[in-house]
Amino acid sequence: MPRIVQDARSFRANAAWGARDLVEIEGATARLHWTDQPYRWHVNDGAELFCVIDGNVDMHYRIDGGEHVVRLGAGDMFVAEEGDEHVAHPVGEARILVFERKGSV
């Protein structure tokens, strides 16, 4: 049976980076996250698609030892390939749709 998600822009979890699992597709998951706190520097074990649904997020990432930052707003996306080191810092509250390998960090 289809599911309709109409609260993506107002979803709020009990804790920073809390998530609602939306769907699993062939070993990958789509999760709706809410946060008002930075995550932690990490490297995923596969590709990750990060889409801001609501709010703004400063995405920090490293290339050849240098740190870069890009501000993402609603509708903006960040694609991290396997091995890309990154960390998300919301500016206030943010809601983010993340597609990644099931069980990834």
Side-chain angles (χ1 to χ4, degrees):
M1 177 168 183
R3 286 181 287 155
I4 309 299
V5 178
Q6 293 183 304
D7 67 342
R9 295 184 71 193
S10 63
F11 168 71
R12 186 178 177 104
N14 293 330
W17 292 101
R20 177 189 298 160
D21 292 334
L22 299 174
V23 67
E24 181 180 335
I25 302 170
E26 297 182 17
T29 59
R31 303 181 82 206
L32 177 60
H33 290 268
W34 171 86
T35 191
D36 62 354
Q37 299 294 315
Y39 198 58
R40 64 183 188 283
W41 280 100
H42 66 286
V43 175
N44 294 80
D45 59 357
E48 172 185 58
L49 173 65
F50 184 100
C51 179
V52 178
I53 300 296
D54 184 64
N56 292 291
V57 176
D58 287 342
M59 181 62 79
H60 299 247
Y61 58 100
R62 293 184 177 139
I63 298 176
D64 298 326
E67 186 174 331
H68 305 271
V69 180
V70 63
R71 176 149 301 170
L72 304 172
D76 291 337
M77 297 180 210
F78 178 83
V79 178
E81 298 294 340
E82 183 175 354
D84 289 344
E85 190 174 13
H86 60 285
V87 61
H89 288 251
V91 179
E93 289 189 22
R95 282 125 185 119
I96 303 119
L97 184 61
V98 177
F99 295 89
E100 63 190 343
R101 181 179 300 181
K102 183 178 180 179
S104 188
V105 176

